Amino acid sequence: MNLEEQWIMWEPLSNLRGDYYRECLIDSYHEGFKVIIGDHDNDKKKIHINFEAGVRAYRDTYETYAWLMQKDFLRDDSFFYKVINSKYIQWLSDISNGISSGMEPTMQHFVIFSEESTLEILSRFEPEVTFVEK
């Protein structure tokens, strides 16, 4: 049975509306998976998204190549989404011959849009998300 994908706004913190760019992406054995998002309206304000236990998969697509996806979901200045019935999770299951489905039934699909890219992240756990002002 192939269910339709549902994209829902993800607000791990309140007031995540704005014009963001991705400043940094770290994929490290020792540090986990981290994304730092900058705010065009305030250079000192950053959003740190930390998947401490790492992630199972991610793909980073230059915004021009992801335009059809972005144009449908960039609404109300929302740049953060979760995907229910994810085609990406299904694809991972397909290429792993179903192994990922049995091992990771709690897999979640997160999407972070920024001016230059669409970052999709598959993780079993919610990340820690914090505002940092320098």
Side-chain angles (χ1 to χ4, degrees):
M1 177 163 65
N2 196 2
L3 301 173
E4 189 168 326
E5 266 188 343
Q6 296 175 8
W7 288 56
I8 56 172
M9 282 189 251
W10 173 49
E11 290 191 280
L13 298 172
S14 59
N15 299 318
L16 282 182
R17 302 287 195 271
D19 188 14
Y20 297 110
Y21 62 94
R22 191 180 70 227
E23 184 172 295
C24 180
L25 184 145
I26 300 168
D27 183 5
S28 166
Y29 177 78
H30 296 290
E31 296 181 51
F33 188 87
K34 297 179 182 183
V35 182
I36 299 174
I37 306 291
D39 185 333
H40 276 297
D41 296 328
N42 183 348
D43 286 342
K44 297 179 191 278
K45 183 174 147 183
K46 310 287 182 205
I47 300 167
H48 288 219
I49 303 169
N50 184 13
F51 292 86
E52 190 173 318
V55 300
R56 295 302 184 235
Y58 69 94
R59 59 184 172 195
D60 186 15
T61 307
Y62 182 64
E63 58 89 17
T64 301
Y65 302 124
W67 173 243
L68 288 177
M69 184 186 329
Q70 285 190 353
K71 76 174 183 62
D72 290 338
F73 297 104
L74 287 177
R75 59 184 182 265
D76 301 324
D77 292 326
S78 182
F79 291 78
F80 304 92
Y81 288 87
K82 278 188 177 182
V83 183
I84 309 300
N85 302 321
S86 165
K87 291 177 186 175
Y88 188 19
I89 292 174
Q90 182 59 51
W91 173 81
L92 188 65
S93 176
D94 291 346
I95 67 167
S96 71
N97 199 27
I99 293 171
S100 68
S101 296
M103 293 174 61
E104 322 246 8
T106 59
M107 188 82 71
Q108 297 180 70
H109 180 178
F110 300 90
V111 179
I112 302 169
F113 290 121
S114 63
E115 72 178 17
E116 75 285 341
S117 74
T118 296
L119 180 61
E120 298 179 79
I121 302 163
L122 300 185
S123 176
R124 291 176 49 216
F125 305 102
E126 290 275 335
E128 177 185 345
V129 182
T130 54
F131 275 120
V132 176
E133 291 207 40
K134 296 180 179 183

